[in-house]
Amino acid sequence: MTTVLLTGFEPFGGDAANPSGAAVDLVASRWEGPEVLVTAVLPVTFAGAAERLRELLAEHRPDVVIAAGLAGGRAAIGVERVAVNLVDARIPDNDGHQPVDVPSVPGAAPAHFATLPVKEIARRIAAEGIPAEVSHSAGTFVCNHVFFTALEAAASGSRAGFVHVPWSAEHAPSTDAATLPLADIARALEIAVRTSLDVTADAVLPGGTLH
């Protein structure tokens, strides 16, 4: 049986909510298969998130891994293309740890590309009227750390990637924050899962940036 692992994050940095975790829970509540969907909400801690992810990978041996996280300030779903082997925390994680200029995985490659069809995922999300784009930086906080850890740990067979989501309209910390409805964020994750299952070769479309 084909298995998908879909993860989000708990709130961090003093926020009351995290739409990535809420959207993952919504996807789980309405999943109809036929594939097995395993979901989890990860802690926003460097040690805890990586440890829990590795546990889930070892237990379920998923065919596809998609992690999702909040990118407050972005207005579109960001399908990440590159994970860098770097932790450089601008703020402490939820354990109070703030590592600077250390690798996510010591001795590993400097970077990994997502092994999902990132351009096709972004294209299909946008085709449903949900703003989406290919992103070339997942940052250097816990999101990128989980993204890199997933690609490093899944190198033996799973395909993996990361999706950044904006604030949801239901959980935004201010009225002027860029948002999408939580239902749209969940739908975007469902499209990412289905596209990853159905498509192996990515779309050949312009997806780069000038800066």
Side-chain angles (χ1 to χ4, degrees):
M1 180 67 72
T2 301
T3 300
V4 178
L5 173 61
L6 177 66
T7 70
F9 281 106
E10 67 182 5
F12 71 97
D15 295 328
N18 189 321
S20 69
V24 165
D25 288 342
L26 182 54
V27 172
S29 72
R30 62 194 194 191
W31 182 258
E32 296 182 349
E35 300 84 4
V36 174
L37 178 69
V38 177
T39 61
V41 176
L42 304 178
V44 184
T45 66
F46 289 100
E51 179 181 6
R52 181 63 181 135
L53 180 65
R54 291 190 179 102
E55 290 173 350
L56 290 164
L57 291 171
E59 179 180 358
H60 299 286
R61 299 187 179 279
D63 300 276
V64 170
V65 180
I66 299 178
L70 169 64
R74 293 194 191 183
I77 301 293
V79 186
E80 300 294 344
R81 196 174 192 181
V82 185
V84 295
N85 191 11
L86 174 66
V87 173
D88 189 0
R90 182 177 58 82
I91 62 173
D93 67 12
N94 281 359
D95 280 343
H97 297 150
Q98 191 175 1
V100 173
D101 294 344
V102 298
S104 287
V105 180
H112 289 307
F113 285 105
T115 47
L116 303 181
V118 295
K119 290 184 177 182
E120 183 63 16
I121 291 171
R123 187 191 73 79
R124 292 191 182 190
I125 294 172
E128 292 213 7
I130 302 170
E133 61 190 7
V134 174
S135 170
H136 295 86
S137 175
T140 56
F141 197 53
V142 180
C143 285
N144 176 78
H145 181 59
V146 163
F147 184 18
F148 188 89
T149 299
L151 288 166
E152 183 72 14
S156 59
S158 300
R159 295 186 298 141
F162 195 97
V163 177
H164 261 126
V165 305
W167 278 110
S168 66
E170 296 84 346
H171 300 115
S174 64
T175 56
D176 60 351
T179 66
L180 288 174
L182 182 63
D184 284 359
I185 294 173
R187 180 60 185 143
L189 294 182
E190 289 171 339
I191 294 169
V193 169
R194 178 50 52 197
T195 305
S196 298
L197 290 167
D198 294 347
V199 176
T200 54
D202 204 358
V204 181
L205 298 167
T209 60
L210 298 179
H211 52 79

